[in-house]
Amino acid sequence: MSTLGYEAELRSERSYVEGLYTRLDAERARVKGEFQAALRGNGGTAVERDVEVRALAKEAKRLDVADNGLCFGRLDTISGHHSYIGRIGIFDEQNQYEPVLLDWRAPAARPFYTATGANPENMRRRRQFLTRGRQVVDFTDEVFGHPGEDDRGDAALLAAVNAPRGEGMRDIVATIQAEQDEIIRLDHPGVLVIEGGPGTGKTVVALHRVAYLLYTQRERMERHGVLVVGPNPAFLNHIGRVLPSLGESDVVFMTPGDLVPGLRVTAEDAPDAARLKGSLKILDVLTAAIADRQRLPEQPIPIQLKDVTVRIDAETAEWARDEARSSGLPHNEARSVFAEIVTYVLTERALGRIGKGWLTRSDREAWEEMRADLLKELAEDEVFTAALDELWPILTPETLLGPLYSSPERLRAAGADQALLRTDGEAWTVSDVPLLDELVDMLGRDKAVDKAAEQAAERERKADAEYAAGVMDIMRLDYEEMDEDVLLRADDLLRSTELADRFVERDTRELVERAAADRDWTYRHVVVDEAQELSEMDWRVLMRRCPNRSFTVVGDLAQRRSAAGARSWGAMLDPYVPGRWVYRSLTVNYRTPAEIMNVAAAVLAEFAPGVQPPESVRANGVQPWSKRVTEDELTAAIEEFVRDEADREGTSVVIGPPGVPGTVPASETKGLEFDAVLVVEPEQILADGPRGAAELYVALTRATQRLGVLHQGPLPQALSGLAEAVQV
């Protein structure tokens, strides 16, 4: 294309994109006006207006995400038809079925990512725009079958991977590659496992898959939302802008430690304890721990009633315990069976003693009166209630697990390893979360508490109704001077569903808030990132959260650091979705330059020799460096790196073993990326066994541009290829 031809094309494309923004602004203004009108109230009931306000708010959010990079490309068919591809879809004002901008998720947009010279899919050309704000500043063309010398189809991709990193992960809608697009649009109703080494884009592909599923299956998915589980808060903050930037907001982000609402996780278990808690064998421990709290009295417990003293002996309690256990009910719900048997035995004994010698069994009415009196006495007797609490206590997950962890005797009774023993039983760890969640179902509800809550809610409803009636009476008094027809209309208005809606408690929280606060909430789809770290018990929690078993699972077995994590995908998934999970791999590293990946690959070869490292798509000419320092020089060397990087554009991080000032552990950087990385004391990181090797591999592969290593002792053998040099 000549310079004059290019300039003319660029002006034409700028004009078209400016027109798209004009339509976007007009649509925003329309939605904003309707939103403001709905807030003021424009007819309909309160419920109808609430639905309208929520829908308009969601539409406004969808339009707001499109300001930057609204349109990023164009497809030309062999027949000469043009289709513009963008972040959202925009339709012609006169013909609402004719798109002037195709949503990147629409089937017609797929060739933008998948067409190749070998398989052009009836496409003649793919044009990719480079934009700044709302303006097209450049474009590159890839002409299928007839490429010109100026055609640079990978220019947008190379610009994206070389660009400095910001505070969060960016979407890749403009640069999705065919390998990634196939996974994003995969039509599979079960579990999809995406495995890939560092920098292959598996996380961002999974997030774009969520956006695609929400686009194609919105009606089925949006009422329940999507759950995204990531390894730590920093990672979730890093990826948190991707889906909103694609117009999707009905997504809950959690770490494994957040899966039980209201629980505060304060620590991480040692490897041995984490392995024990993560294994399904811990279910036997939990079952035994519950059984241990279902006690028999060592001595008969006397219950002093008005006319007689009765005793709860071991034989009675054992019969009641056997009946309660055989009921199949969870522990707290089975307490009613236990109490019923004990109550029956005590009333029968009391009746026999009280009525002996003067009351015959034929005096049925007298017997029943006496029985009713005894039942009432027992229900109100504090000693009897205390005895039930001792023999069959109402338990919460916390009141079962905390005392178990802090008692060697209880651990022995439950058949648990003493490695679980700790001083503060309720210093909850991430590994405790699936156990506490499991116990919610194993223990069941406290029906007495639930009944009290229902009664309180009913009293509140009655109070609201009385208040509403009072409002109507007051308004009638105010309207005494009004015309009768006006009064009737006012009275009718007050009695309408709007008044009822005003006093009926409705949950007005957004879906994300409601889902995050509700342990029993179920999602239509779940994304699990760094899934190799999840234990067998973690998977039980997630499967409960998604009964239809629709998952996108992202991970890299070579990066596993958890002692309880996955050694194979089948071991974790086959118990739940046998034959319903598929595996896809990503093999191209878009993040890490070849110079850095070669260093990391040497570490990978030592601890996972059978794993092939991903192939880097680029080299940047900057060689990783290492520098040996003394203990006194270490802090100054770290500070020098931080100062130098502060003067550069982009992000940086210092990664080191626990206890080294100024560093963060590799585990806290999983899934993150930085322009520059300094790894401190790699030999200490490696010293943590197989987990340490995985940690070092993670640390080395966080950099997108520059990598340095500081060490006091000799470099580990796997890093011997690093040049000992000054920082560059």
Side-chain angles (χ1 to χ4, degrees):
M1 183 184 298
S2 68
T3 301
L4 288 177
Y6 168 80
E7 292 295 337
E9 280 284 292
L10 183 58
R11 285 194 299 272
S12 174
E13 299 295 25
R14 282 175 174 170
S15 176
Y16 190 89
V17 173
E18 286 171 3
L20 292 176
Y21 275 110
T22 300
R23 292 172 184 267
L24 176 67
D25 290 339
E27 184 68 4
R28 277 178 174 163
R30 180 189 67 80
V31 172
K32 184 178 180 180
E34 292 182 4
F35 179 72
Q36 294 297 331
L39 287 177
R40 290 192 299 268
N42 55 357
T45 67
V47 172
E48 291 169 340
R49 289 202 306 275
D50 183 60
V51 170
E52 183 181 13
V53 166
R54 287 174 181 272
L56 290 168
K58 185 173 290 188
E59 178 66 6
K61 285 182 182 178
R62 186 185 78 88
L63 296 173
D64 282 343
V65 304
D67 231 14
N68 187 29
L70 171 63
C71 177
F72 46 77
R74 190 182 94 182
L75 269 177
D76 298 353
T77 66
I78 293 175
S79 62
H81 177 73
H82 301 329
S83 294
Y84 286 84
I85 315 298
R87 194 172 296 278
I88 63 173
I90 298 178
F91 292 85
D92 186 88
E93 292 176 357
Q94 277 71 44
N95 182 0
Q96 287 297 308
Y97 295 99
E98 183 65 30
V100 294
L101 181 67
L102 271 176
D103 190 301
W104 67 275
R105 296 164 288 194
R110 182 169 187 173
F112 185 78
Y113 304 109
T114 59
T116 64
N119 182 23
E121 301 187 35
N122 294 319
M123 297 297 147
R124 176 179 173 271
R125 173 168 53 195
R126 170 170 46 224
R127 173 168 290 177
Q128 292 177 288
F129 298 146
L130 176 62
T131 61
R132 187 173 296 118
R134 290 187 164 208
Q135 187 177 30
V136 178
V137 297
D138 193 9
F139 68 81
T140 59
D141 281 348
E142 185 177 2
V143 180
F144 301 116
H146 304 283
E149 62 179 15
D150 294 328
D151 297 330
R152 296 173 289 119
D154 60 352
L157 172 63
L158 291 176
V161 297
N162 282 307
R165 265 47 194 171
E167 293 182 357
M169 180 179 283
R170 297 165 294 182
D171 66 68
I172 57 168
V173 290
T175 58
I176 292 171
Q177 303 303 293
E179 178 186 55
Q180 298 170 329
D181 185 78
E182 179 186 354
I183 295 173
I184 289 169
R185 299 174 194 261
L186 184 65
D187 183 16
H188 179 69
V191 177
L192 167 64
V193 176
I194 307 172
E195 184 162 27
T200 53
K202 53 188 179 294
T203 295
V204 75
V205 166
L207 296 175
H208 283 69
R209 174 168 167 76
V210 169
Y212 176 74
L213 291 174
L214 285 167
Y215 177 81
T216 57
Q217 304 176 29
R218 187 165 303 280
E219 186 175 340
R220 185 180 74 85
M221 295 185 70
E222 69 176 353
R223 279 180 30 182
H224 287 258
V226 172
L227 172 64
V228 176
V229 179
N232 53 59
F235 174 82
L236 295 181
N237 184 59
H238 178 63
I239 69 171
R241 67 180 62 183
V242 173
L243 285 166
S245 76
L246 299 172
E248 304 301 346
S249 57
D250 291 336
V251 181
V252 177
F253 293 89
M254 290 185 178
T255 69
D258 300 327
L259 290 169
V260 173
L263 188 72
R264 184 168 175 265
V265 173
T266 60
E268 184 174 331
D269 278 308
D272 285 347
R275 187 183 299 108
L276 290 169
K277 293 179 183 180
S279 169
L280 294 182
K281 294 178 182 177
I282 199 69
L283 293 172
D284 294 332
V285 172
L286 298 181
T287 300
I290 294 172
D292 183 53
R293 301 294 290 272
Q294 299 163 354
R295 313 302 290 266
L296 303 180
E298 294 181 3
Q299 298 293 331
I301 301 172
I303 311 296
Q304 179 66 53
L305 301 177
K306 183 173 63 175
D307 297 320
V308 67
T309 297
V310 290
R311 289 173 173 77
I312 305 176
D313 53 31
E315 184 181 6
T316 298
E318 185 175 19
W319 177 30
R321 186 180 67 177
D322 291 344
E323 290 294 323
R325 288 176 175 177
S326 64
S327 70
L329 294 171
H331 169 84
N332 289 335
E333 296 172 30
R335 173 181 160 119
S336 62
V337 178
F338 180 85
E340 183 179 0
I341 297 296
V342 173
T343 301
Y344 168 77
V345 172
L346 296 188
T347 53
E348 285 296 307
R349 289 175 180 171
L351 285 169
R353 294 176 188 173
I354 295 171
K356 185 177 181 181
W358 65 272
L359 190 63
T360 65
R361 288 290 176 182
S362 61
D363 299 324
R364 184 176 185 82
E365 187 174 339
W367 280 106
E368 292 307 320
E369 287 181 4
M370 288 176 59
R371 187 186 304 278
D373 290 340
L374 288 168
L375 290 173
K376 186 173 183 298
E377 274 195 77
L378 284 173
E380 296 175 350
D381 189 272
E382 294 181 359
V383 175
F384 178 69
T385 301
L388 291 181
D389 290 340
E390 179 186 346
L391 301 177
W392 198 285
I394 293 294
L395 296 170
T396 66
E398 292 82 359
T399 58
L400 176 85
L401 209 55
L404 175 68
Y405 287 154
S406 57
S407 169
E409 294 77 16
R410 283 192 165 131
L411 285 171
R412 278 194 295 272
D417 195 296
Q418 293 296 311
L420 300 182
L421 184 67
R422 63 189 186 211
T423 304
D424 184 354
E426 296 193 4
W428 304 118
T429 69
V430 175
S431 305
D432 290 327
V433 172
L435 279 61
L436 292 165
D437 189 74
E438 190 79 37
L439 285 168
V440 172
D441 291 339
M442 294 177 75
L443 294 174
R445 307 288 184 184
D446 181 352
K447 290 189 173 181
V449 172
D450 289 346
K451 184 177 181 180
E454 289 175 8
Q455 291 172 341
E458 180 61 28
R459 288 194 297 271
E460 188 173 348
R461 282 193 291 270
K462 288 181 179 179
D464 286 342
E466 291 172 1
Y467 178 74
V471 170
M472 294 180 67
D473 290 340
I474 292 170
M475 295 191 75
R476 281 197 187 91
L477 292 173
D478 290 342
Y479 293 156
E480 279 183 352
E481 305 300 323
M482 287 186 179
D483 178 85
E484 186 177 352
D485 289 339
V486 175
L487 182 60
L488 287 172
R489 285 197 298 273
D491 186 69
D492 183 59
L493 175 63
L494 286 170
R495 289 188 180 279
S496 69
T497 55
E498 184 172 10
L499 183 66
D501 290 336
R502 193 179 303 168
F503 294 103
V504 172
E505 183 179 354
R506 290 183 292 118
D507 194 338
T508 58
R509 294 173 297 171
E510 295 291 336
L511 178 144
V512 169
E513 294 177 273
R514 288 184 283 125
D518 185 355
R519 181 263 175 186
D520 295 322
W521 189 278
T522 58
Y523 298 88
R524 281 290 180 266
H525 191 76
V526 176
V527 176
V528 188
D529 210 320
E530 300 294 343
Q532 74 277 355
E533 307 297 347
L534 299 190
S535 68
E536 292 175 308
M537 289 298 294
D538 288 322
W539 280 108
R540 285 178 65 86
V541 180
L542 293 176
M543 291 296 170
R544 280 193 287 271
R545 300 297 189 271
C546 189
N548 65 325
R549 307 291 196 257
S550 178
F551 283 77
T552 300
V553 176
V554 181
D556 179 10
L557 294 178
Q559 294 187 56
R560 178 184 64 83
R561 64 180 292 274
S562 170
R567 287 173 169 77
S568 76
W569 299 117
M572 295 299 184
L573 298 175
D574 283 340
Y576 306 102
V577 284
R580 282 193 59 216
W581 67 275
V582 297
Y583 176 89
R584 295 290 185 273
S585 65
L586 292 168
T587 58
V588 179
N589 188 332
Y590 298 100
R591 177 179 71 209
T592 316
E595 293 86 350
I596 295 175
M597 198 61 219
N598 289 338
V599 175
V603 175
L604 180 66
E606 287 209 355
F607 79 92
V611 178
Q612 185 69 26
E615 183 178 354
S616 294
V617 76
R618 67 191 173 102
N620 66 355
V622 179
Q623 292 298 324
W625 56 269
S626 67
K627 186 177 182 181
R628 189 166 186 172
V629 295
T630 66
E631 184 177 356
D632 293 337
E633 295 170 333
L634 180 61
T635 299
I638 293 174
E639 292 173 350
E640 181 184 0
F641 170 84
V642 173
R643 279 195 308 271
D644 289 347
E645 288 301 327
D647 294 332
R648 299 176 185 256
E649 186 180 6
T651 60
S652 63
V653 69
V654 181
I655 302 174
V660 176
T663 70
V664 298
S667 58
E668 293 183 13
T669 66
K670 297 199 77 169
L672 308 183
E673 55 187 36
F674 305 87
D675 291 272
V677 172
L678 179 65
V679 178
V680 178
E681 304 287 27
E683 65 279 11
Q684 289 187 32
I685 298 175
L686 271 177
D688 199 11
R691 183 168 81 164
E695 292 273 85
L696 182 57
Y697 181 60
V698 169
L700 295 170
T701 54
R702 298 307 93 194
T704 66
Q705 303 292 342
R706 301 175 295 282
L707 172 67
V709 174
L710 292 178
H711 58 106
Q712 294 185 59
L715 273 176
Q717 180 62 35
L719 299 181
S720 59
L722 275 174
E724 187 79 19
V726 297
Q727 184 175 335
V728 295

